Amino acid sequence: MEMSVELQGVEESFENMARLVAAEEKAVKECLEWLLRAMINYVKVNGPWIDRTSNLRNSISGNIKAMQEWPADTDPKILKAKVRELEDPVIDISGDDYTAVLSAGMEYAIYLETGEGGFWVLQGAIDAFSPYINQFFKDFLAVEKLDLQQIASVQYAKHYSL
């Protein structure tokens, strides 16, 4: 006795699944971009420091390719010209891994963040948005907190060639 089996709709199911995966990947990327824009805006509006040159606020970035560290004596015109580029989120996507970074580009930002004055540069935005990230994306995203004291020590040693 010979049997013949034919599966119908398999190709259509695979095509639908591929469209679903592509839509999910696009949604994750767009969500990360929205989060970065919102966090950048939060820092610029709520940052508790006095920014005499606007350099610190203008250096806040979500663009992983354009971010860099700027010396304290950077001409404010340079950073003002880069604001749009720095605020435009660029996310590193490698397979299923998405890396988004919020950064402050001025070399002194780490010292404000870790100093005794009660100022925050990025941590306030991270703290404000972490509950939402944890609530809505607990299985997809994680907020990584850095050891800022260690980073500041290394930066200090590099700066003074210790």
Side-chain angles (χ1 to χ4, degrees):
M1 171 191 267
E2 191 173 307
M3 258 175 131
S4 176
V5 176
E6 182 179 323
L7 297 174
Q8 295 182 350
V10 172
E11 285 184 34
E12 184 181 348
S13 293
F14 282 135
E15 289 170 5
N16 288 337
M17 181 59 77
R19 280 195 295 276
L20 176 67
V21 168
E24 183 180 88
E25 289 172 349
K26 182 180 177 193
V28 168
K29 181 179 181 288
E30 288 175 355
C31 179
L32 282 172
E33 289 171 347
W34 181 88
L35 279 168
L36 280 173
R37 280 189 185 98
M39 291 173 82
I40 289 166
N41 187 54
Y42 186 90
V43 170
K44 289 185 174 196
V45 170
N46 298 298
W49 66 91
I50 295 171
D51 195 354
R52 290 176 180 86
T53 64
S54 303
N55 276 352
L56 185 53
R57 280 185 169 78
N58 287 337
S59 78
I60 304 301
S61 178
N63 185 327
I64 202 167
K65 295 187 189 236
M67 62 182 61
Q68 68 180 70
E69 185 175 276
W70 298 89
D73 62 351
T74 299
D75 183 343
K77 292 176 190 170
I78 293 171
L79 282 168
K80 187 170 179 142
K82 292 190 137 307
V83 167
R84 203 187 264 306
E85 177 185 12
L86 293 171
E87 287 180 346
D88 186 27
V90 173
I91 296 162
D92 183 37
I93 302 171
S94 179
D96 291 337
D97 295 330
Y98 293 72
T99 303
V101 177
L102 178 67
S103 77
M106 296 310 295
E107 67 182 359
Y108 55 82
I110 190 75
Y111 303 110
L112 279 175
E113 190 83 62
T114 60
E116 299 292 322
F119 297 114
W120 57 263
V121 178
L122 302 176
Q123 194 62 53
I126 293 167
D127 292 344
F129 283 83
S130 287
Y132 303 111
I133 293 169
N134 292 333
Q135 179 181 356
F136 296 112
F137 303 102
K138 65 181 175 193
D139 296 329
F140 301 103
L141 302 176
V143 175
E144 183 177 316
K145 294 195 178 189
L146 303 174
D147 182 351
L148 296 177
Q149 294 293 339
Q150 174 65 22
I151 293 168
S153 298
V154 170
Q155 290 294 82
Y156 183 85
K158 279 184 190 176
H159 186 71
Y160 291 103
S161 300
L162 298 177

